[in-house]
Amino acid sequence: MTTSFPPAMRSRPVYGVLTARPGTGHLIVADGEGADAVTDMIAAATDAAAMLARSHIIYVPGPTGTDRAETLRALGAAQFHRSPSFAACLPRLQKVLADAQMGMQIYVAGTEGVIGQVQQQAMLAGLPWQAVQTEHRGSTVRRVQCVHCKGITEAVRTDPFPCSHCGLNLFVRDHYSRRIAAFQGVNIDAEDPGQVPPPVERFA
Amino acid sequence: MGLEFNDETFRGDYTFRNSAKAIARFPFPFAEDSYMYSVNMEPHLPGRPGSVFEHMFDVDEHYVAEMRDRAQVLAEDPLRCQSLPHMTLAGWDLLELIMESKARDYPQWFSLTKDGNRWHWINRPLQIEQSFTFLDETTLPYGPMEYITRQTQGDFTLQDQRDDNLWIEAGMVTTQADWSLDFDIGMSFHEWHAPVPLAHEMRVFDRALKFLLNLQLGAPVRRFNWTMTVDPLLDTSPENYPKWGPSKTTMTPETIGHRQHLRVELQTLHRLPRSNAIVFPIRCYLIKFEELVTVPKWARRLHRVVRDIPDELATYKGFIRNKPLMLDYLSKYDDGAPTSPGIWPE
C-alpha cells in the first residue's frame, strides 16, 4: 500500500500513486518497496507489453535492505539496471535524462530520499518537477541537510541525530527543499550546548 | 548634510548604538497594545519627513557599518547571496529601482547619470564610482542584484511570478531573522512560509499571495514584522545559530536593558518592470530596550505586547526563554496609563 503521512507543514512533499501514461518512453526508478508500486502500475496498465518494450527500469535496494531486483528484472523491460546505491546510478540517470525525448514519462517510487533526488535530477535536466510521477512506499527514513555545515545525512531514523559531516546534534524539521531534495536539520543544543534529549526513532 | 555615519560593529564588541535622532525615528511596529499576525499591508508612499517612510529606501546613520558587516558575512559564506539563472533581468530591474530612488532622494550622497545604456553611478558614503552598461553583466564586478545590494541596507529577495504563484529565486540575505535563503531558494510562496505557526490556519498566506499576485508597477506596499534579538547582531542566521544561540542564556536583569533588542523589519514589496518579478526588501532596524524605554508610550506598549503574546508565537520568534526577564524590565516603565492609537511617540 502507498504510505499515508500525518498532516505536516506546507513545504513537505505530497506523493501520489503511479499510473501508466502513454509515452514515447518510460523511465522508471524505484528503491526498496517501491518495486511493488512499479509492479502494481504495470499490472494495471492497459497494454503492459507495449509499455515494457519502451521502459528503462533503474532499481536500488532500500535503506532497510529490501531487494526486489529479481521481481523487476522478471518484468522483461527493454532495459533493467540494478544499482547497489542511488549514488552509483546517478551517472546513468543523468545520461537517460539528458537523452530524453519529448513525451518520455518519468516514474519514481520508494523512499523520500530517492523520490526527491530523481525530481532534483529531472529539474537539473530542465524538466518541470511536476512531470515526475511519485509514489511513496516502504521506509520513512529521511534525507536531511545540516543547515550549518550543509552536509547531507542519508537515511536518518532518529530525532535528534548527529550530523554525519560536522557532528552537531540536529533536530529534524518538516521543512523540505525540493532543490536540495532534503529536510532541514537544525542544531538542537545551540542554546544549551551538551543538553541533547535522547534520540527518538521517528522514521523507520 | 547633517547626518554622519556611525563607526560601529554588529559583532564582536557590538558597538552599535542609536543616536537620539535615530531613536526618535525608530519604526516602532505596534499600532495598539496587542499583537497578532495579519497581512496589514499599506501603500508604501512617502511619509513623514525625517521618518523611515520619507524615502523609498531609507538610508540612516548605520549605513556604512551595515555594508561593512554584509561584506564580512558574504566573505564567510557566499551562499547568502544567490540568484537562479533566469533571475538576472529582475536583478537589473532592482538595480535600476535602487539607483534611481537613491539618486533622487539623497542627491548629496548618490548620483546616477545615463547616456543611453551607458550609466555612471557614484556612491559617496562607500566611495564607489562605477561606469557600466545597463543590462550587460560583464561590465559590473558582481551580478546586478549582488552589486546594488552590497550598497543597500536590508535583505532582498526576488520572486518570479508564474503558475499563479510566487517563487523565491534570488536573494541577498545577511540580516535575517533566522531563515535560510540557501535552503528556501526555489520554493513557492506557501512552501517558504511553511514553518510559520498559526498563520496558515488563519489563511494569512492565502490572502497575502492573492494580494501580491496583483501588485501593480509603481504601487509598492509595506508592512512590519518584528522579533527579539540578544546583542545587536544583524546576522541571526540558522547557519550560524550554534554561534549566537548561547547568547540568549547569558542575559541578566543588569544587562537586559543594554543587550536585549527589539528587531523590526520594514518590509516593502515592489513590482519590477521588465521581469514582472516582485522584489521584497526586508529592512532590519534594531533598538536596545534601554533606548526604547526613553519613549514612554513605546515602553508601556511593548510591555503589554510581550505580556499578552501567545507562547507559540514567543517560541517561534525565539524569545520565550527570556520573556520573564523582559517583563520584569519593561513592567517598571508601564504605569498602566492609556496609550494613544498609532505608532508615533506621544
Side-chain angles (χ1 to χ4, degrees):
Chain A
M1 278 297 290
T2 191
T3 312
S4 70
F5 290 99
M9 62 170 70
R10 293 278 295 260
S11 56
R12 195 192 195 303
V14 177
Y15 305 105
V17 175
L18 297 191
T19 311
R21 285 194 195 136
T24 54
H26 303 272
L27 170 62
I28 303 169
V29 185
D31 78 327
E33 286 81 354
D36 301 342
V38 176
T39 50
D40 288 355
M41 170 176 72
I42 301 287
T46 45
D47 191 348
M51 181 181 181
L52 284 164
R54 284 199 291 259
S55 290
H56 185 161
I57 300 177
I58 298 173
Y59 181 73
V60 182
T64 53
T66 305
D67 185 352
R68 297 191 182 151
E70 293 319 308
T71 310
L72 291 187
R73 191 190 303 276
L75 291 172
Q79 287 169 278
F80 174 81
H81 176 69
R82 178 191 179 279
S83 179
S85 69
F86 185 78
C89 78
L90 209 46
R92 183 186 187 101
L93 178 64
Q94 287 165 341
K95 175 74 162 61
V96 176
L97 288 168
D99 293 349
Q101 297 195 334
M102 190 73 89
M104 184 178 78
Q105 298 291 325
I106 307 172
Y107 313 82
V108 56
T111 64
E112 294 197 90
V114 163
I115 294 173
Q117 289 177 91
V118 171
Q119 283 186 318
Q120 179 186 44
Q121 291 302 321
M123 286 190 286
L124 288 170
L127 301 163
W129 57 272
Q130 298 95 330
V132 179
Q133 280 197 55
T134 63
E135 180 167 346
H136 190 277
R137 294 271 187 134
S139 171
T140 58
V141 295
R142 288 188 174 185
R143 183 175 144 90
V144 184
Q145 188 198 39
C146 173
V147 75
H148 313 294
C149 80
K150 307 293 181 183
I152 290 174
T153 303
E154 304 282 350
V156 171
R157 290 168 196 284
T158 65
D159 189 9
F161 75 98
C163 174
S164 64
H165 301 263
C166 70
L168 282 175
N169 288 291
L170 307 178
F171 71 93
V172 183
R173 298 181 84 191
D174 281 340
H175 199 28
Y176 181 85
S177 165
R178 223 174 1 254
R179 193 182 63 92
I180 301 168
F183 290 91
Q184 189 177 59
V186 180
N187 189 200
I188 197 165
D189 58 335
E191 296 183 22
D192 305 282
Q195 290 187 35
V196 182
V200 175
E201 184 162 299
R202 275 183 64 202
F203 322 110
Chain B
M1 296 298 289
L3 187 79
E4 296 195 35
F5 298 105
N6 301 349
D7 183 10
E8 61 191 359
T9 56
F10 299 90
R11 57 178 71 209
D13 56 358
Y14 291 117
T15 59
F16 163 89
R17 58 182 288 278
N18 286 299
S19 67
K21 188 182 164 197
I23 294 172
R25 74 193 297 277
F26 187 80
F28 187 72
F30 306 110
E32 53 188 24
D33 285 357
S34 64
Y35 171 78
M36 193 45 190
Y37 284 131
S38 63
V39 179
N40 69 314
M41 266 179 309
E42 62 176 15
H44 185 44
L45 297 170
R48 283 189 186 205
S51 77
V52 301
F53 304 130
E54 183 176 5
H55 300 305
M56 188 78 89
F57 296 97
D58 182 43
V59 178
D60 68 9
E61 66 187 27
H62 307 296
Y63 176 49
V64 174
E66 283 188 29
M67 294 301 96
R68 205 184 296 147
D69 192 73
R70 166 156 293 162
Q72 282 180 270
V73 173
L74 290 170
E76 287 164 14
D77 183 0
L79 295 175
R80 305 301 188 81
C81 180
Q82 297 190 48
S83 178
L84 299 187
H86 60 283
M87 297 304 282
T88 304
L89 184 61
W92 284 111
D93 279 335
L94 176 62
L95 176 142
E96 176 189 56
L97 177 67
I98 292 176
M99 286 187 176
E100 289 188 343
S101 299
K102 284 187 167 179
R104 176 192 66 227
D105 296 337
Y106 302 96
Q108 70 278 30
W109 293 327
F110 305 98
S111 142
L112 179 65
T113 49
K114 299 179 186 175
D115 175 12
N117 270 357
R118 295 286 305 155
W119 292 21
H120 189 73
W121 166 248
I122 299 174
N123 177 337
R124 292 186 186 90
L126 295 182
Q127 298 176 291
I128 291 169
E129 186 164 356
Q130 180 82 42
S131 288
F132 63 99
T133 304
F134 187 65
L135 300 177
D136 181 354
E137 269 187 277
T138 63
T139 60
L140 284 177
Y142 304 101
M145 177 192 71
E146 179 167 357
Y147 179 78
I148 197 59
T149 57
R150 279 177 176 266
Q151 303 178 43
T152 308
Q153 289 163 279
D155 285 346
F156 290 80
T157 64
L158 290 170
Q159 281 71 226
D160 192 34
Q161 181 163 333
R162 59 178 187 273
D163 305 333
D164 280 329
N165 213 322
L166 295 171
W167 304 83
I168 181 169
E169 291 180 329
M172 167 67 89
V173 178
T174 67
T175 67
Q176 67 283 263
D178 202 8
W179 69 278
S180 170
L181 172 74
D182 181 51
F183 193 79
D184 287 0
I185 192 168
M187 292 189 187
S188 69
F189 191 79
H190 284 86
E191 287 170 348
W192 88 74
H193 287 111
V196 183
L198 306 176
H200 287 273
E201 291 76 3
M202 295 166 60
R203 303 187 66 79
V204 166
F205 296 119
D206 296 330
R207 278 180 282 131
L209 176 60
K210 195 174 170 192
F211 179 88
L212 292 175
L213 289 174
N214 290 306
L215 188 67
Q216 299 297 304
L217 185 63
V221 295
R222 66 179 174 231
R223 68 183 295 268
F224 283 129
N225 200 0
W226 67 279
T227 187
M228 296 284 185
T229 301
V230 178
D231 298 325
L233 178 66
L234 286 172
D235 179 29
T236 47
S237 59
E239 279 80 0
N240 284 336
Y241 180 43
K243 295 176 192 163
W244 56 265
S247 66
K248 292 185 196 176
T249 66
T250 57
M251 209 147 57
T252 66
E254 291 70 42
T255 59
I256 185 168
H258 189 67
R259 293 188 64 198
Q260 183 64 56
H261 294 69
L262 174 64
R263 182 186 192 104
V264 175
E265 292 176 354
L266 172 59
Q267 306 180 339
T268 57
L269 293 133
H270 313 247
R271 178 71 67 189
L272 296 173
R274 296 171 190 77
S275 59
N276 199 43
I278 288 178
V279 61
F280 184 40
I282 309 158
R283 172 67 178 277
C284 172
Y285 293 87
L286 294 166
I287 189 169
K288 300 175 191 298
F289 270 23
E290 68 187 14
E291 293 170 342
L292 185 138
V293 299
T294 62
V295 180
K297 170 179 163 180
W298 292 353
R300 289 186 184 106
R301 181 165 291 170
L302 185 62
H303 172 245
R304 295 166 198 179
V305 167
V306 173
R307 182 189 63 201
D308 299 337
I309 196 165
D311 281 353
E312 199 171 358
L313 270 183
T315 302
Y316 173 67
K317 288 179 181 288
F319 68 87
I320 189 93
R321 173 197 287 268
N322 287 319
K323 190 173 154 183
L325 263 179
M326 291 179 189
L327 289 177
D328 285 347
Y329 180 86
L330 293 171
S331 64
K332 295 193 294 258
Y333 300 92
D334 186 0
D335 54 9
T339 53
S340 60
I343 63 176
W344 308 103
E346 273 153 356

